[in-house]
Amino acid sequence: MPQKKMFLGLTITDGYGSNNEAWRRADVDPSSYTNLDVAVRNAQAAERGGFAFLFTPDFPAVRSNVARSTIQNTMDPMLTLTVIARETERIGLVATGSTTFQEPFNLARQFKALDVLSHGRAGWNAVTTSDPYVAANYGQPVADRNDRYRRAHETVQVVQALWGSWEKDAWVKDQESGQFIDMDHLRPINLQGEYVASRGPLAIPPSEQGQPVVFSAGGPSPDMLALAGRYSSAFITEVWTIPEAQAQRAAVRDAARQAGRDPDEIKFVVGLMTTVAPTVRAGLDRRLSLAGDVTPQRVLQLGQMFGLRLEPGRLDEPLSAQELAAARPSDDPRAESALEVARQGWSVRDVLAHGVIDYHPVTVGPGKVHADHLQEWFEADAADGFWISPDVYHDGVDAFVDEVVPILRERGIYPDGYSGATLRDHLGIPDQYGADPRIAGATAT
Ligand SMILES: Cc1cc2nc3c(=O)[nH]c(=O)nc-3n(C[C@H](O)[C@H](O)[C@H](O)COP(=O)(O)O)c2cc1C
């Protein structure tokens, strides 16, 4: 039996990197946010490394004080990925689209158009947006959770029905006979739900993969699991430990099973933030030169994670033997791995520079460090694939492709190249056109 292989995705946001200070580095174009050549270059580098997809999260709002930090979002995911589609050949293009604020007809139209123009490489990350800044931009309060999820079920059902409404053999385009469309195969869907509705049909033919692949991103709440279990082919998540990831992956697979699907049809995708450098020390110095990791608040937070009182100015010494013996990791899922780093004897500054308080696990150092992490998680059934966020994209994507990917390939746990042309091929998920006949209509009728 061929060995199971992991897949990788690359996060695409504002073009700078996952480190807040990436935009300030002298070799980084400070206009990367609007310079699509930068996005294209990053996409081409990821494609060179055989990445299965690019992933653009989307929070269309100014959500924090951006006086000194960047926007951390693309200007517009669909337009960015459309530009990238024209400059790449294989890599999948996964954009986020809100089931809370967007109309299903718009979603169906834009995503299927992206799928057709990219020759079957599009994915839709269907999110139940709950961010108050985003809601305000749509002139609305944050909707009640129950309403958001009911609307999400209806929206995905209507979108998938619209995708299938131009049936596979509808487009005759016979110049001789003059028949353009076989109207028996281009039909309205006439769906009317409680929240959304559409008559259809959608005037877009199938792509090389039929229709876009549906993704979910979120935490494992029962509502989210029920949604993803029914419709999604990939579940993007943030987890810090292998046991946490194993439990979530099992829950996601179980949700698919309960919806009458094969659990292998939904892939579990875990985040990783990377700093690739010749040595761990060089990687820590690279991170420290960007600041961000080391602030007085983070020293205090680290102390809380260890159940210790750490003074904010206490940066240059490691934890003493007594402190390490007294340390009790808090409930924070990052606490145990942070303590492991502290036990290696790093100073408080260097412990923080390992990214122990970041929003995903962080790996720092030569290619082997990153490859070991990915292999350990993959072989523990904690992930089917990973979404990678390099610290500074300018050189971080190429470094990952040149230093990490060859090791993964050597170890036989990562494909040598693309074996197919579509996103479905890269993820190893089955064909689907229109709604999944195994999933009974929940709310839309
Ligand atoms: C890894 C991850 C990525 C997410 N990406 C987005 C996103 O791009 N846009 C968005 O509006 N919400 C995003 N979310 C938020 C979720 O879709 C969801 O709305 C949020 O976790 C609130 O949960 P709830 O809807 O179950 O209350 C993301 C969540 C996670 C964990």
Side-chain angles (χ1 to χ4, degrees), residues 19 287-288 290-295 298 349 352-356 358:
N19 189 301
R287 295 177 67 87
L288 289 169
L290 293 166
D293 284 323
V294 185
T295 61
R298 288 198 171 186
R349 188 193 307 279
L352 287 170
H354 275 83
V356 294
D358 238 314

Side-chain angles (χ1 to χ4, degrees), residues 55-60 63 73 95-101 125-131 134 142-146 148-149 216-225 227 235-239 248 269-271 359-360 387:
F55 167 55
T56 62
D58 194 37
F59 291 92
R63 297 195 302 153
N73 215 55
T96 296
S98 174
T99 57
T100 309
F101 296 115
N125 176 36
V127 292
T128 54
T129 315
S130 58
D131 186 277
V134 177
V142 176
D144 172 74
R145 195 152 202 283
N146 191 35
R148 280 190 292 113
Y149 276 91
S216 289
S221 68
D223 289 330
M224 177 58 95
L225 289 174
L227 187 72
F235 192 91
I236 291 193
T237 188
E238 54 189 4
V239 280
Q248 260 196 45
V269 193
V270 164
Y359 51 91
H360 294 297
W387 53 303

Side-chain angles (χ1 to χ4, degrees), residues 63-351:
R63 297 195 302 153
S64 59
N65 182 351
V66 289
R68 299 190 64 80
S69 78
T70 62
I71 307 289
Q72 296 179 0
N73 215 55
T74 54
M75 286 191 293
D76 182 287
M78 299 306 281
L79 294 178
T80 300
L81 293 182
T82 302
V83 169
I84 291 173
R86 301 291 298 169
E87 305 289 335
T88 52
E89 285 175 6
R90 294 294 188 93
I91 194 163
L93 309 163
V94 182
T96 296
S98 174
T99 57
T100 309
F101 296 115
Q102 296 188 41
E103 285 298 315
F105 189 80
N106 288 3
L107 289 164
R109 183 184 189 198
Q110 288 195 319
F111 278 88
K112 202 170 185 206
L114 180 66
D115 205 30
V116 169
L117 69 85
S118 66
H119 300 287
R121 295 189 278 143
W124 170 33
N125 176 36
V127 292
T128 54
T129 315
S130 58
D131 186 277
Y133 292 95
V134 177
N137 282 350
Y138 287 91
Q140 294 174 30
V142 176
D144 172 74
R145 195 152 202 283
N146 191 35
D147 286 329
R148 280 190 292 113
Y149 276 91
R150 287 168 70 93
R151 192 181 199 279
H153 279 272
E154 287 188 6
T155 300
V156 179
Q157 287 174 27
V158 171
V159 166
Q160 292 191 331
L162 283 167
W163 285 342
S165 64
W166 177 305
E167 291 176 16
K168 283 190 167 165
D169 42 7
W171 201 4
V172 182
K173 51 183 175 196
D174 182 347
Q175 291 174 314
E176 195 110 330
S177 71
Q179 187 179 21
F180 192 63
I181 301 265
D182 178 347
M183 289 304 290
D184 288 341
H185 296 279
L186 178 67
R187 295 178 210 262
I189 59 167
N190 290 318
L191 284 176
Q192 174 70 56
E194 200 184 334
Y195 299 85
V196 294
S198 184
R199 186 182 69 179
L202 176 69
I204 304 182
S207 74
E208 281 80 344
Q209 66 171 354
Q211 67 192 25
V213 177
V214 176
F215 280 55
S216 289
S221 68
D223 289 330
M224 177 58 95
L225 289 174
L227 187 72
R230 280 172 162 247
Y231 312 107
S232 299
S233 301
F235 192 91
I236 291 193
T237 188
E238 54 189 4
V239 280
W240 284 273
T241 65
I242 288 179
E244 188 190 7
Q246 287 168 325
Q248 260 196 45
R249 180 170 178 268
V252 165
R253 289 170 62 82
D254 198 46
R257 205 177 281 117
Q258 279 179 26
R261 300 166 67 206
D262 179 338
D264 287 339
E265 290 175 42
I266 185 161
K267 308 298 178 190
F268 190 71
V269 193
V270 164
L272 180 67
M273 297 162 79
T274 54
T275 295
V276 181
T279 60
V280 175
R281 181 68 262 164
L284 297 177
D285 290 342
R286 174 180 160 104
R287 295 177 67 87
L288 289 169
S289 75
L290 293 166
D293 284 323
V294 185
T295 61
Q297 292 89 327
R298 288 198 171 186
V299 179
L300 291 172
Q301 197 181 343
L302 190 68
Q304 281 159 10
M305 279 164 68
F306 294 164
L308 300 173
R309 182 190 293 264
L310 289 185
E311 295 303 325
R314 151 89 188 269
L315 286 172
D316 291 315
E317 306 116 55
L319 267 62
S320 67
Q322 291 88 325
E323 283 174 320
L324 286 172
R328 296 282 170 273
S330 70
D331 289 346
D332 187 313
R334 297 166 292 191
E336 189 55 60
S337 42
L339 192 54
E340 238 168 76
V341 176
R343 284 195 194 109
Q344 291 163 13
W346 300 99
S347 67
V348 170
R349 188 193 307 279
D350 285 342
V351 173

Side-chain angles (χ1 to χ4, degrees), residues 160 211 230 259-261 431-441:
Q160 292 191 331
Q211 67 192 25
R230 280 172 162 247
R261 300 166 67 206
D431 282 344
Q432 183 178 337
Y433 199 62
D436 183 340
R438 295 166 301 177
I439 309 292

